Amino acid sequence: MKFHPSKIYPNGRHLIFLSIVWIVLQVLLLWQNGIVTGLEAEKYITQARYFLNHGKLASNNYYLYSTQIFLIAAVIKLHLGFPVIIGIQLVLSLYAVLMFYKMGLRFLDNNLLAALATLFFILNIPYQTYNSHLFTESIFYSLSIIYSSHLLLQEKFSLGTLLWMGSLLFLLCVTRPTGILFFAATACYLFFRFLHQLTTFQKVLIVGSCIVVFLFIINAMLGAGGSLDFMLPFRKENIICGVNTVDYSGIVEMKEGNSLQGILYYLTYNHDQFFRLAKLKTFAFFGMMRTYYSVWHNIFLAIFFYPFYLLSLIGFWKKMRQRDVSLVYIITIFFLYWVTTLLTCDDWHNRFILTVTPFIFLSGFAAFSLGASDVEADAKYNTTRQ
């Protein structure tokens, strides 16, 4: 697969316009929601206070959310107030907008398309809403875009670059557990982008090592303890996390349910139930609409996101013909989030698919880009006319 570095540079007027739209939207959301310290934020605030009093977190699973917890703890310790955290989240969000625009220039190779993709990225209200929440999502969403853009924009790696990228990836993994999925997507991308000149033995060794490390980390996360119970969605047949559809499904499971072995055992002996739930979870994941949303909320979701599903398929096809290796990263991270939902449950507020919506916008606008075959056709047409 080929790498096509973009020769298009950021447009100053586009950046000013996008910045103004971002500022107006954030002001409106902050005015409407205020600083949200309730709901899920309560457990992070509680854990931050617990850490300050005991020097550790209540259970190991909270270390998978430690970026937000330690940030809250620092603010409490220094008596700075929660608006400081919102300020940090907004700075990261604005930086993510800039990096998304640059990533769009590289991926779409067109200034207007990159600006339009970034505009939809900003106007993704369900995504942007979390900037005023003391949840983990705001920092996680911003870091995922910052990390991904830096990764896809790199043409070569130095030691300093590797340390910087490694630090961002580590932060992703301790901001939300699903950050580990970016490790797998990164390994796939680097393999196709930079390792094509290695021998078969070297490739097998590197791929094998990455798989072992990835599985080891996943297994450790599954056994982190606390409130994490990865067999619960199957026992209670959760389509949406926390919403039980049965009291007990009678599935066969191992004592070590929170492990890769436990999940494999479940899949082996309960495949009928798994595929039935997988179909329902797929509809929930891609459909996004919920019975507890208002009619207008569901209409907004359908109008705003559904057209991009079709456009993304066209964009994937164009980028495949163009042999753009960054498509490996985008498809991998999208696929992994879907599979993770099948193995667990979908989020109450669509936060899993919201993570990958920026990449849906990119691939959707790629449907309007000029692919490699289109360039060749234009060249042949112009040659014939001459």
Side-chain angles (χ1 to χ4, degrees):
M1 303 183 85
K2 295 180 180 179
F3 178 70
H4 301 277
S6 175
K7 296 180 180 178
I8 307 296
Y9 297 97
N11 183 293
R13 288 178 297 179
H14 288 168
L15 287 174
I16 293 174
F17 172 74
L18 293 170
S19 298
I20 292 174
V21 174
W22 179 87
I23 291 172
V24 171
L25 181 62
Q26 301 307 321
V27 169
L28 290 175
L29 290 175
L30 192 58
W31 174 74
Q32 180 184 32
N33 301 323
I35 298 178
V36 179
T37 58
L39 302 173
E40 191 172 311
E42 292 178 354
K43 67 180 180 181
Y44 302 128
I45 297 172
T46 300
Q47 285 302 309
R49 297 187 187 280
Y50 186 93
F51 177 79
L52 291 174
N53 292 330
H54 299 86
K56 62 178 182 178
L57 299 179
S59 62
N60 289 334
N61 67 296
Y62 284 113
Y63 285 99
L64 303 177
Y65 306 89
S66 58
T67 301
Q68 189 76 8
I69 293 173
F70 291 157
L71 182 59
I72 294 173
V75 166
I76 293 175
K77 181 69 174 179
L78 299 173
H79 305 286
L80 296 178
F82 292 145
V84 172
I85 297 179
I86 300 303
I88 293 173
Q89 291 179 171
L90 289 173
V91 169
L92 287 174
S93 176
L94 183 58
Y95 184 46
V97 169
L98 172 62
M99 295 310 300
F100 182 85
Y101 177 59
K102 290 183 176 180
M103 181 167 58
L105 291 176
R106 149 67 189 97
F107 186 71
L108 300 171
D109 204 29
N110 182 287
N111 224 310
L112 179 59
L113 291 180
L116 289 173
T118 307
L119 180 61
F120 272 82
F121 171 66
I122 294 172
L123 295 178
N124 186 354
I125 296 176
Y127 186 98
Q128 299 290 343
T129 295
Y130 290 101
N131 289 333
S132 60
H133 291 51
L134 293 187
F135 293 8
T136 56
E137 273 70 27
S138 178
I139 292 178
F140 183 75
Y141 289 161
S142 296
L143 286 179
S144 67
I145 295 302
I146 293 169
Y147 171 78
S148 299
S149 57
H150 277 289
L151 177 68
L152 298 181
L153 289 170
Q154 291 298 322
E155 297 187 34
K156 60 181 179 179
F157 285 88
S158 62
L159 178 59
T161 302
L162 288 174
L163 291 175
W164 163 244
M165 298 301 298
S167 299
L168 285 177
L169 186 55
F170 175 77
L171 275 177
L172 273 175
C173 293
V174 296
T175 301
R176 286 196 65 81
T178 51
I180 189 60
L181 301 180
F182 286 87
F183 173 84
T186 299
C188 291
Y189 169 73
L190 294 179
F191 179 82
F192 286 100
R193 170 71 176 89
F194 293 102
L195 305 182
H196 55 276
Q197 295 179 339
L198 298 181
T199 64
T200 301
F201 174 76
Q202 290 173 321
K203 289 181 179 180
V204 171
L205 182 62
I206 293 174
V207 171
S209 300
C210 288
I211 291 175
V212 169
V213 171
F214 180 69
L215 293 178
F216 176 81
I217 296 175
I218 287 290
N219 203 51
M221 287 181 166
L222 290 176
S227 60
L228 292 180
D229 184 354
F230 286 86
M231 297 309 298
L232 180 63
F234 298 109
R235 289 199 305 271
K236 302 294 186 178
E237 295 199 353
N238 293 165
I239 308 303
I240 306 299
C241 296
V243 181
N244 302 331
T245 58
V246 296
D247 291 331
Y248 179 71
S249 62
I251 66 169
V252 180
E253 61 174 292
M254 298 175 63
K255 292 182 179 179
E256 300 83 14
N258 277 352
S259 66
L260 291 176
Q261 298 94 323
I263 291 177
L264 182 61
Y265 188 88
Y266 163 77
L267 293 176
T268 302
Y269 291 96
N270 302 273
H271 46 79
D272 289 339
Q273 183 202 39
F274 170 75
F275 286 114
R276 174 172 58 84
L277 295 177
K279 179 180 71 173
L280 297 174
K281 292 174 185 177
T282 297
F283 287 142
F285 181 76
F286 290 103
M288 300 183 72
M289 291 188 287
R290 303 286 192 257
T291 56
Y292 42 81
Y293 285 165
S294 68
V295 173
W296 288 111
H297 191 164
N298 283 326
I299 290 175
F300 165 78
L301 293 175
I303 294 176
F304 192 81
F305 292 106
Y306 285 11
F308 279 101
Y309 291 154
L310 176 59
L311 291 174
S312 293
L313 294 177
I314 299 173
F316 287 157
W317 176 74
K318 280 201 169 188
K319 284 297 178 178
M320 288 177 65
R321 296 184 68 183
Q322 195 176 346
R323 302 177 68 189
D324 191 333
V325 69
S326 58
L327 194 62
V328 172
Y329 180 82
I330 293 175
I331 291 179
T332 301
I333 196 64
F334 194 87
F335 174 77
L336 288 175
Y337 263 86
W338 170 59
V339 170
T340 300
T341 300
L342 300 187
L343 293 175
T344 54
C345 49
D346 199 17
D347 180 71
W348 181 271
H349 289 302
N350 297 301
R351 286 179 289 184
F352 297 152
I353 195 171
L354 283 177
T355 306
V356 299
T357 51
F359 303 106
I360 296 177
F361 297 147
L362 280 181
S363 54
F365 276 100
F368 304 102
S369 65
L370 200 61
S373 58
D374 300 320
V375 174
E376 293 173 1
D378 287 347
K380 290 180 180 179
Y381 175 74
N382 291 331
T383 301
T384 303
R385 289 189 61 186
Q386 292 175 357

